[in-house]
Amino acid sequence: MHVAVKKLNSEQENFAAALMTLLNRDQTTEFGIDETVAEVIATVRHRGDAALYLYTRKFDGFDAEARGLEVPRFRLMQALDAIPPKQRDALQYAVDRVTAYHQKQNQQSWSYTEADGTQLGQKITPMQRVGLYVPGGKATYPSSVIMNAVPAKVAGVKELIMVSPTPGGEFNDMVLAAAVLAGVDRVFRVGGAQAIAALAYGTETIPAVDKITGPGNIYVATAKKQVFGKVGIDMIAGPSEVLVIADESVDPDWVAMDLFAQAEHDEIAQSILLTQSELVAERVQQSINRLLPTMERAEIIQQSLKGNGALIVAESRDKLIAIADEIAAEHLEVFTEDADQLAQEITNAGAIFIGPYSAESLGDYCAGPNHVLPTSGTARFSSPLGVYDFQKRTSMIKVSRQGAQSIGENASILARGESLTAHARSAEYRLDDAGANDRVELSKGK
Amino acid sequence: MHVAVKKLNSEQENFAAALMTLLNRDQTTEFGIDETVAEVIATVRHRGDAALYLYTRKFDGFDAEARGLEVPRFRLMQALDAIPPKQRDALQYAVDRVTAYHQKQNQQSWSYTEADGTQLGQKITPMQRVGLYVPGGKATYPSSVIMNAVPAKVAGVKELIMVSPTPGGEFNDMVLAAAVLAGVDRVFRVGGAQAIAALAYGTETIPAVDKITGPGNIYVATAKKQVFGKVGIDMIAGPSEVLVIADESVDPDWVAMDLFAQAEHDEIAQSILLTQSELVAERVQQSINRLLPTMERAEIIQQSLKGNGALIVAESRDKLIAIADEIAAEHLEVFTEDADQLAQEITNAGAIFIGPYSAESLGDYCAGPNHVLPTSGTARFSSPLGVYDFQKRTSMIKVSRQGAQSIGENASILARGESLTAHARSAEYRLDDAGANDRVELSKGK
């Protein structure tokens, strides 16, 4: 079993176009899904729990009306006992490290007072209630529960609600255990667009939330888009990607295995090596071929590397940096002698893993930073999931009587420039010098 | 000319439902717009500048091919001279105050080192290039240019590009002057969905950006939604709203004028008074009736107050706070004896104006904080436009060899729990104890 990974060189004639084709970031929309999802949402809004019972019977094959939508607290605690102690300890280890990192993201309210007594500031408050979607079936990842739940709890969210589809009503114990350890408050057995609708609008049993986060299939993603505005949502994740920048200082087997770790997710995952050395590209290709047959998920890895993988040789350090910024990878591993320096110079990436001991898989589970990262080049303008995604800011403005004189006068000039005269007069009311405005005239009417 | 504003009382039987009806936050989508906009975007992607010339000829009635899409620098500087000095000074005053406030929002990169040498951090970098949409026609607001441009420049955005539709190719001088003073780098005469498409995908003349902000009509808003993912966008703004909380300590004329200032924007704007006092509600209603005939935009104000205005009496302080948090107003004015305390207790609002000198109109122009605020109740989960909207975060992870031992071991356990064995083996490669993993076996193959 082999796979010849596509090779590109920064000096080849059509490099820019070839890179664009490789990244293939045009979203395709499947027709019909929008309508189906809109109908599910309307039904849940209209019929509440009754709709959830119906969909759960149909899609998950269990009777939530008889058995209950909510997973009782004792069942959550049972899950903690049901998993092997080694796994429980590893989950706790991850929760602890992820919590420690995210606590550094906590933002403080601030304010300042100007010479005339005017106070300006920014108040930070947590969202009241947040919903966390956890996919069921083959992609049931306890690490995803931790990465979504911990920043919300660190932010101070009062109630964190988890929803997940459960075939036959049965939950994966490791997922439930992760939920308990990460601080999830309530868990409901419902998935799909119907779960998103329930979180957005509320039903008799499931309370409406302020924001919904967490990954899901195309129906879940479409439902999140449709309820956006009623509630907040996180980014819609695209295929997962890794870009590994390597030189001769790193074992090519390590690079190959890290490319595999990304590729094993699914056929649409993308693993790219970027190097200034033809020799490194060749050695990594050799490691890929030697190690591939030893992998449990060799088929998926082969498909992913064949379809979306690439070995890119950059002819200069500047080119290498420009290509990395263009790719704006979700995960960027920098395994070079000058890794610290390179990591500073590259500005577009969700997370940068610096030096050969910083395998992406450590970050996926328990290094501390979040594993929910901007995909498909969106690292150009967006950020990892964090505490800031569960807090909101409010501007605080307390203008003193003295401060109102200069601010009010200028506001009045600008408002009249925009022909918004009620704005102008509202500002002029606050001026002491009644002669300069229409206060006197208006007061006569009293 | 009078208007009887709707009255609600927190104790009336159907209060919750009446409040929901008043807020009327269900988005309606107009059919056909999605398809029209999708076609415009596809045409601009495919034909570039040629498409922009076509649309500009059609919609703005000027020949951008002959006269140029870009506004030359000298024309921008001319605008500064063309406006009255008093207006220029007021614009500069606004730029200075808005800059001073937004500088406090600048975030710093941080990192920390653990006992075993592992370094974790978060790098903050500005976006490279940002597009600012400025509506043309009647809603041409220089203040909007300042409020969008300043946070981008404070964030460190390298190139800020403004686009705006110009009837006959002619710009409003005050808008151009605001652009110059606020630090806009380049200005293009193109609007509508075609301008959004150009900013998202780039044309021969207009460079592609990383994020697009600024208000626009339904075509612009729809185009922003459709290009989201390729580029970042800001929130899609709904109708503007003010909630005024007042007691007997404030002049009811001031309250009435502040309600007018919101209502004069357009018929769909919303102005609500919330008070614990029947008397205050009555007095404000009287002020409304007395002042309304004196207003330049009386017709619009009357329509807005009649359709969407309300005077709400809350029967207790707790009820008042709960109602304010439920409304989650874009602008909240708190004009009560205990304004400071109330402003702390209310958590959902875009901006809080504390005390009678803090008229919203001061904040609209030059108090310092941003006037782009979350509308339609989205203050429950989102924030004013700020410097943070033009920066992105990157997680930085540098695991030491010693740190890789415990992190790697736990990552391996969790990865195997998720059946992701390439992840596990990638982590195990980093362990010193080769016996605990498959390193030895794999090395034999070399």
Side-chain angles (χ1 to χ4, degrees):
Chain A
M1 182 179 236
H2 281 72
V3 56
V5 183
K6 188 179 299 151
K7 279 195 68 177
L8 298 176
N9 186 296
S10 66
E11 303 310 298
Q12 74 188 58
E13 206 178 319
N14 59 348
F15 177 72
L19 184 59
M20 249 174 99
T21 305
L22 175 72
L23 299 177
N24 180 30
R25 280 165 176 174
D26 269 352
Q27 311 112 314
T28 51
T29 43
E30 289 178 53
F31 283 100
I33 289 184
D34 272 340
E35 289 75 7
T36 307
V37 166
E39 199 190 310
V40 169
I41 293 174
T43 308
V44 172
R45 283 189 70 175
H46 201 246
R47 301 192 49 204
D49 283 346
L52 300 184
Y53 298 147
L54 192 81
Y55 290 122
T56 306
R57 217 171 278 133
K58 186 170 161 192
F59 295 117
D60 303 332
F62 94 103
D63 186 351
E65 189 167 11
R67 294 174 55 194
L69 278 167
E70 184 161 9
V71 179
R73 194 76 200 164
F74 74 85
R75 174 67 188 88
L76 301 183
M77 305 313 289
Q78 270 180 354
L80 266 189
D81 291 329
I83 62 173
K86 211 171 131 182
Q87 285 192 350
R88 191 169 59 233
D89 292 347
L91 287 174
Q92 184 65 58
Y93 178 88
V95 167
D96 290 345
R97 287 193 63 89
V98 173
T99 299
Y101 179 86
H102 285 76
Q103 278 168 343
K104 311 267 180 192
Q105 291 179 335
N106 245 319
Q107 300 171 95
Q108 300 301 317
S109 300
W110 50 260
S111 71
Y112 60 97
T113 304
E114 299 183 307
D116 60 24
T118 294
Q119 290 170 33
L120 299 173
Q122 183 176 274
K123 180 165 79 160
I124 311 274
T125 48
M127 292 170 206
Q128 286 286 315
R129 197 186 280 131
V130 164
L132 162 55
Y133 190 91
V134 176
K138 58 174 183 169
T140 306
Y141 294 144
S143 58
S144 169
V145 175
I146 294 173
M147 292 296 180
N148 278 274
V150 168
K153 295 309 284 187
V154 170
V157 169
K158 298 216 177 42
E159 195 174 14
L160 180 57
I161 290 175
M162 177 174 135
V163 296
S164 187
T166 53
E170 292 312 313
F171 247 110
N172 173 322
D173 278 323
M174 223 170 144
V175 166
L176 283 189
V180 174
L181 295 176
V184 169
D185 296 293
R186 300 177 71 183
V187 179
F188 294 94
R189 293 183 282 195
V190 58
Q194 58 273 22
I196 301 299
L199 289 172
Y201 292 99
T203 69
E204 301 90 320
T205 304
I206 301 182
V209 302
D210 298 313
K211 184 164 187 168
I212 303 172
T213 71
N217 64 19
I218 182 72
Y219 291 93
V220 170
T222 304
K224 279 167 68 179
K225 277 189 202 169
Q226 290 190 10
V227 299
F228 176 58
K230 175 71 174 91
V231 297
I233 61 169
D234 57 353
M235 297 280 296
I236 307 288
S240 195
E241 337 136 10
V242 71
L243 174 66
V244 186
I245 297 179
D247 63 13
E248 295 178 24
S249 69
V250 62
D251 186 334
D253 280 4
W254 291 24
V255 174
M257 190 60 75
D258 288 8
L259 297 174
F260 289 174
Q262 199 58 51
E264 78 173 333
H265 278 294
D266 45 45
E267 290 78 359
I268 59 170
Q270 183 157 55
S271 302
I272 301 176
L273 168 74
L274 176 61
T275 179
Q276 285 185 250
S277 156
E278 283 281 355
L279 186 65
V280 168
E282 200 176 298
R283 282 184 182 158
V284 169
Q285 174 66 68
Q286 284 166 7
S287 291
I288 287 172
N289 282 338
R290 189 168 36 75
L291 291 171
L292 183 59
T294 74
M295 303 309 298
E296 278 88 341
R297 296 163 77 98
E299 289 286 345
I300 298 172
I301 294 170
Q302 188 186 33
Q303 287 305 311
S304 165
L305 289 182
K306 198 170 161 185
N308 310 305
L311 312 173
I312 303 177
V313 177
E315 291 296 338
S316 72
R317 192 169 179 280
D318 285 350
K319 285 262 168 69
L320 181 140
I321 291 172
I323 293 168
D325 272 334
E326 165 87 16
I327 293 175
E330 181 190 14
H331 306 96
L332 171 64
E333 293 184 338
V334 185
F335 297 163
T336 60
E337 299 266 20
D338 64 342
D340 284 303
Q341 184 54 34
L342 257 185
Q344 284 308 321
E345 292 180 54
I346 296 169
T347 53
N348 295 341
I352 306 184
F353 298 81
I354 305 160
Y357 287 94
S358 307
E360 184 209 313
S361 72
L362 306 193
D364 289 340
Y365 292 103
C366 52
N370 211 288
H371 81 191
V372 181
L373 297 166
T375 58
S376 309
T378 59
R380 289 181 296 117
F381 54 84
S382 59
S383 301
L385 189 71
V387 169
Y388 35 81
D389 288 306
F390 300 99
Q391 295 176 329
K392 58 207 165 59
R393 304 171 182 89
T394 299
S395 303
M396 304 295 272
I397 300 159
K398 187 179 183 185
V399 179
S400 69
R401 181 172 176 167
Q402 196 189 329
Q405 306 311 308
S406 59
I407 300 176
E409 198 188 319
N410 283 284
S412 161
I413 294 169
L414 293 169
R416 291 192 182 275
E418 293 181 353
S419 305
L420 294 176
T421 44
H423 282 69
R425 287 173 63 178
S426 162
E428 289 154 12
Y429 269 8
R430 274 73 182 183
L431 301 179
D432 288 340
D433 178 8
N437 58 56
D438 60 7
R439 191 77 207 289
V440 174
E441 195 185 338
L442 287 165
S443 300
K444 284 182 200 154
K446 269 189 179 169
Chain B
M1 182 178 236
H2 281 72
V3 55
V5 182
K6 188 178 300 149
K7 280 194 66 176
L8 298 177
N9 186 297
S10 66
E11 302 311 297
Q12 74 189 59
E13 207 177 319
N14 59 348
F15 178 73
L19 185 60
M20 248 173 99
T21 305
L22 175 73
L23 299 178
N24 180 30
R25 281 165 175 174
D26 267 354
Q27 312 110 314
T28 51
T29 44
E30 290 178 53
F31 283 99
I33 290 184
D34 271 342
E35 288 74 8
T36 307
V37 166
E39 199 188 309
V40 170
I41 293 174
T43 308
V44 172
R45 285 189 69 175
H46 202 245
R47 301 191 50 204
D49 283 345
L52 300 184
Y53 299 147
L54 191 82
Y55 290 122
T56 305
R57 217 171 278 132
K58 185 171 162 192
F59 295 117
D60 302 331
F62 95 102
D63 185 350
E65 189 167 9
R67 294 174 55 196
L69 279 167
E70 185 160 8
V71 179
R73 193 75 200 165
F74 75 85
R75 175 66 188 89
L76 301 183
M77 303 314 289
Q78 270 179 354
L80 264 188
D81 291 329
I83 61 173
K86 212 170 128 183
Q87 284 192 353
R88 192 170 58 232
D89 292 348
L91 287 174
Q92 184 65 57
Y93 178 87
V95 167
D96 290 346
R97 287 194 62 88
V98 173
T99 300
Y101 179 86
H102 285 77
Q103 279 169 344
K104 309 267 181 193
Q105 290 178 337
N106 245 319
Q107 301 171 95
Q108 300 302 318
S109 300
W110 50 261
S111 71
Y112 60 97
T113 304
E114 299 183 307
D116 60 25
T118 294
Q119 291 171 32
L120 299 173
Q122 183 176 274
K123 180 166 79 161
I124 311 274
T125 48
M127 292 170 205
Q128 286 286 314
R129 196 186 282 129
V130 165
L132 162 55
Y133 190 91
V134 176
K138 60 171 183 170
T140 305
Y141 295 144
S143 59
S144 169
V145 175
I146 293 172
M147 293 295 181
N148 278 274
V150 169
K153 295 309 285 189
V154 171
V157 169
K158 299 217 175 45
E159 194 174 14
L160 180 56
I161 290 175
M162 177 173 134
V163 295
S164 187
T166 54
E170 292 312 312
F171 248 109
N172 173 321
D173 277 325
M174 222 171 143
V175 166
L176 283 189
V180 174
L181 296 175
V184 169
D185 296 291
R186 301 177 71 184
V187 179
F188 294 94
R189 293 183 282 195
V190 58
Q194 57 273 22
I196 302 298
L199 289 172
Y201 292 99
T203 68
E204 300 90 321
T205 305
I206 301 182
V209 302
D210 297 314
K211 185 164 185 166
I212 304 172
T213 72
N217 65 19
I218 181 73
Y219 291 93
V220 171
T222 304
K224 279 166 69 179
K225 275 189 202 169
Q226 289 190 11
V227 300
F228 176 57
K230 174 71 174 90
V231 297
I233 61 169
D234 58 353
M235 295 279 296
I236 307 291
S240 195
E241 337 136 10
V242 72
L243 174 67
V244 186
I245 297 179
D247 63 14
E248 296 177 23
S249 68
V250 63
D251 186 336
D253 280 6
W254 291 23
V255 174
M257 192 58 77
D258 288 8
L259 296 173
F260 288 174
Q262 198 59 50
E264 78 172 335
H265 277 294
D266 47 43
E267 292 79 358
I268 57 170
Q270 183 157 54
S271 301
I272 300 176
L273 168 74
L274 176 61
T275 179
Q276 283 185 252
S277 158
E278 283 281 354
L279 186 65
V280 168
E282 201 175 295
R283 283 183 180 159
V284 169
Q285 174 67 67
Q286 284 166 9
S287 292
I288 287 173
N289 283 337
R290 187 167 40 74
L291 292 171
L292 183 59
T294 74
M295 302 307 299
E296 278 88 341
R297 296 162 78 98
E299 288 287 344
I300 297 172
I301 294 170
Q302 188 186 35
Q303 288 305 310
S304 166
L305 289 182
K306 198 169 160 186
N308 311 305
L311 312 173
I312 303 177
V313 177
E315 292 296 339
S316 72
R317 190 169 182 282
D318 285 350
K319 285 261 167 70
L320 182 140
I321 291 172
I323 293 168
D325 272 335
E326 166 85 15
I327 293 176
E330 181 190 12
H331 306 97
L332 171 64
E333 292 183 340
V334 185
F335 298 163
T336 59
E337 300 266 21
D338 64 343
D340 284 303
Q341 184 54 33
L342 257 185
Q344 285 308 320
E345 291 180 53
I346 295 169
T347 52
N348 294 341
I352 306 185
F353 299 81
I354 305 160
Y357 287 96
S358 308
E360 185 209 313
S361 72
L362 306 193
D364 287 342
Y365 293 103
C366 52
N370 211 287
H371 81 190
V372 181
L373 296 166
T375 58
S376 308
T378 58
R380 288 182 295 117
F381 54 83
S382 58
S383 301
L385 189 72
V387 169
Y388 35 81
D389 288 306
F390 300 100
Q391 295 176 329
K392 60 208 162 61
R393 304 171 182 88
T394 299
S395 302
M396 305 293 272
I397 300 157
K398 186 178 183 184
V399 179
S400 68
R401 181 172 175 167
Q402 196 189 330
Q405 307 311 307
S406 58
I407 300 176
E409 197 188 320
N410 282 285
S412 160
I413 293 168
L414 293 168
R416 291 191 182 275
E418 293 181 352
S419 304
L420 294 176
T421 45
H423 282 68
R425 286 173 63 178
S426 162
E428 290 155 10
Y429 269 8
R430 273 74 181 182
L431 301 180
D432 287 340
D433 179 8
N437 58 56
D438 58 10
R439 190 81 208 286
V440 174
E441 196 186 338
L442 287 165
S443 301
K444 285 182 201 156
K446 271 189 172 169

